Amino acid sequence: MIQKIKPFLWFDKEAEEAANLYCSIFKNSRILEVARYPEGGPAPAGSVMIVTFQLEGLEFVGLNAGPLFKFTEAISFVVTTENQEETDYFWNKLAADGGQESDCGWLKDKFGLSWQITRGD
């Protein structure tokens, strides 16, 4: 079945790095495709333009398109956990290496993308 709606994430130049990080954190995840800029494009030829990846069965698209737009808390991804151990796992992995912790289960990862880590019970 085709996923009709996909989260589309605008990065400066970190789309592949972010996709690899997210795929390393979430179990049922993989990189689906990497498309590169052609000669004469707005970025160096051969550099990553788009990364399509899947996290827990949900397809995402990451675009490297420069620093024009930044992530804000207006959009976030909610991760529902089963217990405190799983909550701590996602919190620590997503907040690592320069992420910003906030209140009430909110954090920003090192790319500035907002996540909410919540218990499902």
Side-chain angles (χ1 to χ4, degrees), residues 4 8 27-28 37 53 67 70 75-76 78 80 88 99 111-112:
K4 290 192 181 283
F8 191 94
K27 291 179 184 172
N28 182 24
Y37 279 102
F53 58 102
K70 303 286 184 205
I75 298 291
S76 64
V78 178
T80 305
D88 293 343
F111 307 106

Side-chain angles (χ1 to χ4, degrees), residues 53-102:
F53 58 102
Q54 195 173 61
L55 303 178
E56 298 292 347
L58 180 65
E59 197 170 314
F60 291 75
V61 179
L63 170 70
N64 284 333
L68 185 60
F69 298 109
K70 303 286 184 205
F71 296 121
T72 74
E73 293 85 355
I75 298 291
S76 64
F77 294 105
V78 178
V79 179
T80 305
T81 62
E82 295 181 19
N83 54 48
Q84 189 62 46
E85 180 181 358
E86 189 177 32
T87 299
D88 293 343
Y89 168 81
F90 285 113
W91 184 270
N92 293 329
K93 293 289 187 179
L94 289 166
D97 298 324
Q100 297 176 310
E101 298 181 0
S102 190

Side-chain angles (χ1 to χ4, degrees), residues 10 12 25-26 40 53 65 80 86 93 96-97 106 109 111 115:
W10 180 300
D12 179 3
I25 293 172
F26 295 92
F53 58 102
T80 305
E86 189 177 32
K93 293 289 187 179
D97 298 324
W106 288 73
D109 65 27
F111 307 106
W115 297 84

